[in-house]
Amino acid sequence: MTDPTKINLLNRLELQGFKSFAGKTVFEFPAKVVGVVGPNGSGKSNIIDAIRWVLGEREAKQLRGEGLENLIFAGTPKKPAQGFARVDLVLDNANRAFPVDAEEVVLSRRVDRSGTSEFSLNDAEIRLKDLLPLLARVRLGARGIMIIGQGQSDIFVMSSPRERREMIEEFLGLREFRIKKGQAERRLENSIINIDKIKAMLEELAPQVRIFKKQKTRLEKRSEIELELEGLESSYYAFRYSRLGRELQTVMLPIAGLKEERNGLEGEIQKEEKILNALYQNDDDYAKVKEIRAKINAHLDAESVKQRELSRIEAKMEIQKEVPLYTHKPEEFKKFITGLKDEIEAVLGLDTVAEMKSHLKNIVASVQSFFSNRSEEPKIDLSGDWKSLADEIKGIRVQIDDLRKAEDDVSRKTRESNKEFREKVGKLNEKKNDLYAMDRKIQSVVLQKETIEMRREELEREWAALGKSAEALKRMPSGEEFSDETLHEAESRMMRLRGEISAIGEMDQSVFREFEESEKRYEFLEAQLADLEKAAADLKVLIRDLDQRIKNDFKTSFRAISDAFNEYFKLMFGGGKARLVLEEKVKPPMIIGEEGAEEESSSAEAAEDKEEELGVSIDLSLPRKKITGVGMLSGGEKTLVSLAALFALISISPPPFLVLDEIDAALDEENARRFSDLIKQFSTKTQFIVVTHNRSTMEAADVLYGITMGDDGVSKVLSLKLEG
Ligand code: ATP
């Protein structure tokens, strides 16, 4: 903060192209009282204007010109116009009142003919709204009682009660807080406007958001159910699927053994079948029997031939022993028989029995005649033939007997091997039965396997129907174990959950998104509202604090100022008395706005606090005169009252500097001397820049600048008196 005891805040003023100062003009302010003197119209007041302007004054009236362009040197017949005006005010910054790490700060303002005006602080551009609080901190301002322009010597009297209060506040260094408060109030106003806007938007969105919330709750419920259902489905299907897997494993467990056993058995059977086939197809014995039989038959045939031969021989031998019945040769015999036959056939053709009888008698007679005609044959010995034949037959029979024996042997053997064959076949059949049984068993296992697989596929289908991948089911570990009872419970629960989901129903995604957007926007606005309300609350606290500060500081000093005012009044008027009175319910104060323009603070918040609307009125009584109101005072008296107030303020809270433009003009000699004495007196604490025509004031000055204007219409500076 500013050190109130620090003087010589103003180090230097540089003008270039400003009003009548066409060229670069430098005013050093090394001393406590700097006087500016010169003839009328030489440009003295232009210096004051320059100070006002660089401190942020925007109002043309205050700068005695119409528009910014009139601030630029307009040119004279002898001196061309300038393209821009620039003022640099070099301020002491030893106490770092400005946030710049330098002993001095250069506050600059420049305007060109296009009307572009810019401020800079140590060559860095700065906005007026940022500059004003900085200036306020060192109690600098373009207005008020610290820069009193020409003809404004009665300013305190002529000002309104509110303006007077502002002047006092400025002196007390409260302007900084006033500006801050004004800014806070504007921010608060904006916040309130925005709060209202957001509230309106929230109200508009509220029904939609309410519906959405309801829907969202339902959908959240649905999601919860879906989650539970999904979990249940997963564990249910995973359990059932893996249980089937386990069943499959159990069922398939013996299959390898069974198959191995079966294949072994089949191998055995095949082997045995081969052996049996071989056995069956082994016809050695059979052939042997056949051969023996053939031999027997051959022997039998030979025997029967021999036997017949023997019989014949025996017959012959018999015949030789007996008389032969006939001796006809065979051809004679044949001829006779043929004739006989013809005769008999002829008989058969006869018609009568008598003829037949007669014919038959003839036949009988011819037969008798035929056989009565016999011839004698010579006898042959056949016993030798018979004997050899009989021996042969005997030999054959022995052979047959031997063969029969051999056949019996072979047959017996065959019978025995047949028995073994049958036994083997029996055993083989048993094995085949076993194989069949085994195949049935394997088949049954395969059937069971297929059944389980079908059930698994069915589960996979069900699972896929839930919109899930069969692969996931296969990979899913079976966590939860179910009993039949809990499995049944799970099924009922799943059904119930599905029912609940479909009861809740779907929601159009685009509608949902729209609602979601609304809700997001609602939440965003709510957050913004909360931020704004918080900011508004903070601002209210800040405003209240600033108010409090202004009020307290003001009240603390007000009585002292009023008392000092009374003292200086008495001094100026040689008696009488005066005081400052706090008035209530005046308009809110004028504040230099963000753009430097004065704005009425219309803040409702500000209006709430009645204390803030206080104004300052002057209560006085002149010695020997019955004057009660300031309106009744003469011009000179008004100046005296104003000066009394000025010095009262300086005495209570000396400002860093004061710029006074011919405020001593209306003073009589005595008061002019008093004025110069007081300036001298207060110059220990306050720097004075005084434009004057008054000799006693000039005498009080430590440094005196003479301003002249030549034919060329350009103000020139002449240093008339140096400090010390
Ligand atoms: P007084 O003692 O009578 O009050 P002063 O010394 O205060 O006089 P100023 O009012 O500062 O005089 O100066 C006025 C002079 O400045 C006039 O001569 C005027 O022509 C000149 N002036 C004002 N504006 C410009 C400008 N834009 N260009 C050139 N000269 C200007």
Side-chain angles (χ1 to χ4, degrees), residues 471-671:
E471 281 311 305
L473 179 64
K474 284 176 193 166
R475 282 197 307 271
M476 215 144 58
S478 160
E480 198 178 334
E481 284 294 318
F482 287 88
S483 65
D484 285 350
E485 196 187 335
T486 55
L487 210 58
H488 181 68
E489 278 170 13
E491 280 161 5
S492 323
R493 178 88 186 134
M494 285 191 290
M495 269 198 8
R496 203 164 48 249
L497 294 176
R498 284 182 194 127
E500 282 175 24
I501 287 170
S502 65
I504 289 170
E506 296 282 346
M507 190 173 183
D508 188 323
Q509 276 305 305
S510 63
V511 176
F512 187 80
R513 268 198 296 279
E514 210 176 289
F515 277 144
E516 208 172 25
E517 285 301 312
S518 301
E519 198 198 28
K520 267 191 205 153
R521 179 148 173 72
Y522 194 86
E523 280 169 3
F524 171 74
L525 288 173
E526 269 186 332
Q528 261 201 335
L529 183 65
D531 285 351
L532 279 171
E533 281 175 340
K534 163 94 175 56
D538 290 349
L539 284 169
K540 279 181 192 170
V541 171
L542 177 68
I543 291 166
R544 205 162 300 138
D545 287 352
L546 287 167
D547 251 353
Q548 205 65 39
R549 174 88 193 256
I550 294 167
K551 193 172 74 184
N552 288 346
D553 286 8
F554 189 87
K555 281 194 170 166
T556 309
S557 306
F558 186 71
R559 177 167 283 278
I561 293 167
S562 182
D563 290 348
F565 174 56
N566 186 37
E567 289 307 312
Y568 288 109
F569 180 85
K570 282 200 275 192
L571 184 71
M572 300 278 182
F573 286 94
K577 58 178 179 183
R579 63 179 185 124
L580 298 175
V581 181
L582 266 178
E583 275 179 8
E584 283 185 19
K585 289 187 186 173
V586 293
K587 271 183 158 184
M590 302 285 273
I591 295 164
I592 292 181
E594 293 190 354
E595 296 303 321
E598 286 187 354
E599 290 174 10
E600 285 287 333
S601 172
S602 58
S603 163
E605 300 295 318
E608 270 174 23
D609 193 342
K610 300 294 180 218
E611 291 252 58
E612 197 174 306
E613 296 179 13
L614 295 176
V616 175
S617 61
I618 303 164
D619 192 1
L620 54 82
S621 68
L622 291 180
R624 300 171 298 277
K625 286 186 183 173
K626 284 202 165 174
I627 286 179
T628 48
V630 290
M632 295 164 75
L633 295 172
S634 74
E637 284 169 341
K638 282 176 185 162
T639 297
L640 286 178
V641 173
S642 290
L643 286 177
L646 177 68
F647 287 113
L649 287 167
I650 297 171
S651 70
I652 299 303
S653 178
F657 70 84
L658 281 170
V659 180
L660 310 171
D661 190 355
E662 291 189 39
I663 64 166
D664 53 2
L667 302 182
D668 57 28
E669 209 173 307
E670 197 184 338
N671 276 323

Side-chain angles (χ1 to χ4, degrees), residues 299-313 385-386 388-394 396:
H299 281 85
L300 283 172
D301 285 349
E303 188 202 353
S304 84
V305 169
K306 299 284 177 192
Q307 192 63 48
R308 272 200 306 276
E309 191 77 11
L310 188 71
S311 299
R312 213 162 33 246
I313 289 168
D385 291 348
W386 184 86
S388 73
L389 259 177
D391 285 344
E392 271 183 53
I393 287 168
K394 216 177 184 177
I396 289 170

Side-chain angles (χ1 to χ4, degrees), residues 22-37:
K24 187 166 177 173
T25 314
V26 179
F27 294 92
E28 297 283 350
F29 299 123
K32 290 150 194 156
V33 181
V34 175
V36 180
V37 298

Side-chain angles (χ1 to χ4, degrees), residues 19-20 38-46 64 70-75 150 662 693 709 713:
K19 286 201 167 181
S20 55
N40 294 130
S42 59
K44 300 183 295 297
S45 296
N46 290 345
R64 304 176 306 134
N70 289 332
L71 300 178
I72 306 167
F73 179 70
Q150 211 176 76
E662 291 189 39
H693 290 290
M709 185 179 278

Side-chain angles (χ1 to χ4, degrees), residues 131-146:
L131 177 66
L132 288 176
L134 292 180
L135 295 176
R137 281 180 77 183
V138 291
R139 298 204 280 164
L140 285 180
R143 294 281 175 85
I145 202 170
M146 294 199 191

